[in-house]
Amino acid sequence: MLSLEGVIEEIKFRNEANGYTVAILNTSDGPVTIVGHTPFLYLDEKVKVEGEWVYHPTYGEQLSFTNITTVLPSTLTGIENYLSSGLIPYIGPKTAKKIVERFGLDSLDIIQYNPERLKEIPGIGQRKLEKIVEAFKEQRELRDIMVFLQQYDISANLGIRIYKKYGKDTINIISENPYRLAEDIFGIGFKIADRIAKKMGINAKSIYRIEAGIKYLIMEFAGNGHSYIPLEELKAYGAKLLQLEEDLIEEGVRSLGIKGSVNLIQDGEKTLVYYTPFHMAENYVSRKLIELSQVKLKELDIDLDEEIKKIEEEENISFAQNQILAIKEAMNNGLLVITGGPGTGKTTIIKSIIKLCEDLRLKVVLGAPTGRAAKRITETTGKEAKTIHRLLEYSFLDDDMAFAKDEDNPIDGDLIIIDEASMIDILLMNSLLKAVDYGTRLVLVGDVDQLPSVGPGNVLRDIISSGVVKVVRLDEIFRQSEESLIAVNAHRINRGEAPILNEKNKDFYFISESNPEKISETIMELCSRRLPNFYGVDKLRDIQVLTPMKKGEVGINSLNQKLQWVLNPKTPTKAEKQIGSEIFRVGDKVMQIKNNYATEWKIIKDGVEVEKGQGVFNGDFGFITHIDEEERIVKVLFDDEKEVEYEFSQLDELKLAYAITVHKSQGSEFPVVVMPICWGPPMLLTRNLLYTAITRAKSLVVLVGEEKYLYMMIKNNRITKRYSALDKKMRNYISIFMG
């Protein structure tokens, strides 16, 4: 194997996805073309490469390297170039220059052996120092690991994430079982892990492979809302995915059952396969709901009818019968579900329950699944609402989230109201119920006709369909809401009726366009010019494009690129950063797309930090306020005033959010909703998806497309069956409880 040493003079080609690089290495014997995979390579960097000569028919003789290592520079210019190369986050060109000016030829030794002295450099405080030291330590281990990873076409960003998880043991762990990547690393699914395993020569019938494939399918089903999979279906899907016999798949399932990873439950002639946490959660939730509903409450020393009349007089309102029933049942029961569409008075009921409780000196706690939903309740009731995660006082430890509130330390409240309950999946409901003490009243409020939770389970619908707990359905639209076609049309659509379109001076419009290209053009014009000019709305903060699809001309990917171009165009003064095909720019509207419990945030008011904590959640909206190439960071200010700092390697957790899917809009409310209506897969063009989109709008809905597809959606009342057994378990448990 040939070994050469020199300075990188030119980078001719670089594939950021897999690190394949063509560069000119200036050696003592002259320039040499080198080719190979490397995670980082920078101009003027001194390196040592090892490899073999190869001949390219077009480009001639090249050194194909298998190993590349940085040779620490020994000149002032070399040290400065090395530090400013981007290899060490938080040291950019300006900071590198300051370090070299201060410490000269000792700069690298100072960083390695006496890093505290870096605080002598203006702009380097304790927090930044710690990050620089950690990055310097990591980069020495990282290159070898990244070279190993990138032979399997793993991008630099993913490689860094793998390294942060496994550290110096990365190569050993992956070599032993590459399928661990699918479980441990966000952005690597089973198929990528399987590709790596195949390149490594791992047997297709390896138990590692079979178990990983089964886990992948279970989580795929969970991503579609299922709490379990029938064994026969799992075997069929597994055989197709792995190209193996069904018997081997069943053996793998039984093996996972013995290990405790899954639970196999016999239901008549069927065997149901549960991921163990889902099974435990479903069992606990069914039991706890029944117990809460049956608990004997201390009698209230008031006349509820009189108190409700007082509220009517004070607020100058007249309750419908079902509203009165809901208020009474909330005060008299340990558990109540209130469900109804827009304009049916759910917020009025919540406010009335709060007032009753305050008069009785009972403590009310308000919560919702998302930050936006919590903010909306706070604004409408005047009482602080928190996300369920904040109510439970989440914390992050060793890659796991833990809640401080549980059975031993329940939520301090006499009555808990949870809004947007249709969004709660089985795991979150499990954690919530553990923190609800017996004797505390729990009121779940939501619209059961909206799309169900993104996560596993069909919790609200199952609770209602169980028929064993108190449920109040609100179906009357109130006079003030009757003036809004948003509310009227939402209910018409929910009943399978045609909506009222384009009445003058109303809040619901349909613009006819005949093809996706024209629909897209019209949406651009509406968002950038027509709606802001006519209605005076903020084009970035008030208008939200919702679409059923991710791909195609009116999918989120295409629409976001176009909307970014018209709403936040490139200018010489706006910093930007490209990650893959996505460009992030200062001023961009973005969304967090995964739960990251470890991410730090802070709230700053008038230049002073007033609060800090950890945790950014899937579906949180924000705006990019700062991009710093020097420190290699992006700052995002989220809706709840949390400021979060992302390293460039973390940017795959963010997506542009000028356009989002209807599913991602759940729990949010926007002044203006714009939605394309055109052909798409029938499983997406459904009545409840359309209903959910419309009910996200507060002041205005504009649909753009073809009416025939609008009516097709209304007729398509297909509700995809979710495999969940909460309702059945609740009925079973009540028979035991009452027996």
Side-chain angles (χ1 to χ4, degrees), residues 325-480:
L325 178 63
I327 296 167
K328 284 183 173 180
E329 296 288 11
M331 302 306 295
N332 290 329
N333 285 279
L335 174 67
L336 174 68
V337 176
I338 302 171
T339 184
T344 56
K346 295 192 296 293
T347 302
T348 303
I349 291 170
I350 291 172
K351 288 164 74 173
S352 301
I353 293 169
I354 292 169
K355 188 166 188 339
L356 269 175
C357 287
E358 286 174 346
D359 291 345
L360 288 164
R361 297 186 178 176
L362 299 176
K363 185 177 179 181
V364 180
V365 176
L366 299 180
T370 67
R372 282 204 159 205
K375 188 178 179 182
R376 192 174 70 246
I377 306 169
T378 301
E379 290 169 351
T380 55
T381 65
K383 184 176 175 63
E384 185 190 15
K386 296 179 179 178
T387 64
I388 295 173
H389 285 86
R390 284 191 69 198
L391 278 183
L392 299 176
E393 297 178 8
Y394 68 89
S395 60
F396 178 83
L397 186 68
D398 295 333
D399 289 342
D400 290 314
M401 187 180 58
F403 293 116
K405 296 295 182 183
D406 56 19
E407 290 158 312
D408 298 320
N409 182 27
I411 296 167
D412 180 20
D414 299 297
L415 187 145
I416 300 169
I417 300 174
I418 303 294
D419 199 15
E420 295 286 356
S422 64
M423 295 181 65
I424 304 175
D425 65 29
I426 193 68
L427 294 179
L428 187 56
M429 181 59 81
N430 180 62
S431 298
L432 173 65
L433 291 178
K434 282 182 178 178
V436 179
D437 204 3
Y438 297 103
T440 298
R441 297 164 175 83
L442 176 63
V443 181
L444 301 174
V445 183
D447 186 348
V448 75
D449 294 314
Q450 287 185 27
L451 292 170
S453 63
V454 175
N458 206 3
V459 177
L460 187 65
R461 187 175 290 276
D462 276 358
I463 293 171
I464 293 170
S465 66
S466 72
V468 296
V469 299
K470 293 280 184 184
V471 177
V472 177
R473 295 176 183 270
L474 306 173
D475 49 19
E476 183 178 336
I477 306 177
F478 290 92
R479 194 181 303 113
Q480 64 270 27

Side-chain angles (χ1 to χ4, degrees), residues 516-579:
E517 288 77 17
K518 287 293 294 180
I519 293 169
S520 178
E521 286 174 19
T522 301
I523 288 173
M524 297 308 116
E525 192 180 348
L526 282 166
C527 294
S528 62
R529 191 173 61 84
R530 288 163 63 176
L531 293 175
N533 291 349
F534 191 80
Y535 290 96
V537 295
D538 187 305
K539 61 185 180 181
L540 286 174
R541 296 184 181 276
D542 293 340
I543 303 170
Q544 185 60 58
V545 177
L546 302 182
T547 177
M549 291 160 285
K550 291 181 181 178
K551 297 178 181 177
E553 191 73 30
V554 294
I556 56 170
N557 298 331
S558 174
L559 287 174
N560 270 318
Q561 284 184 355
K562 292 175 182 177
L563 286 164
Q564 183 189 48
W565 186 74
V566 297
L567 299 179
N568 189 33
K570 183 183 179 72
T571 70
T573 58
K574 283 181 188 171
E576 61 180 50
K577 178 66 182 176
Q578 184 164 353
I579 301 293

Side-chain angles (χ1 to χ4, degrees), residues 492-518:
R492 289 177 72 95
I493 287 166
N494 202 29
R495 293 193 299 266
E497 300 170 9
I500 301 164
L501 302 176
N502 299 334
E503 283 199 356
K504 197 174 178 181
N505 298 323
K506 288 290 187 179
D507 55 7
F508 197 106
Y509 294 96
F510 191 98
I511 300 173
S512 290
E513 295 292 359
S514 58
N515 62 66
E517 288 77 17
K518 287 293 294 180

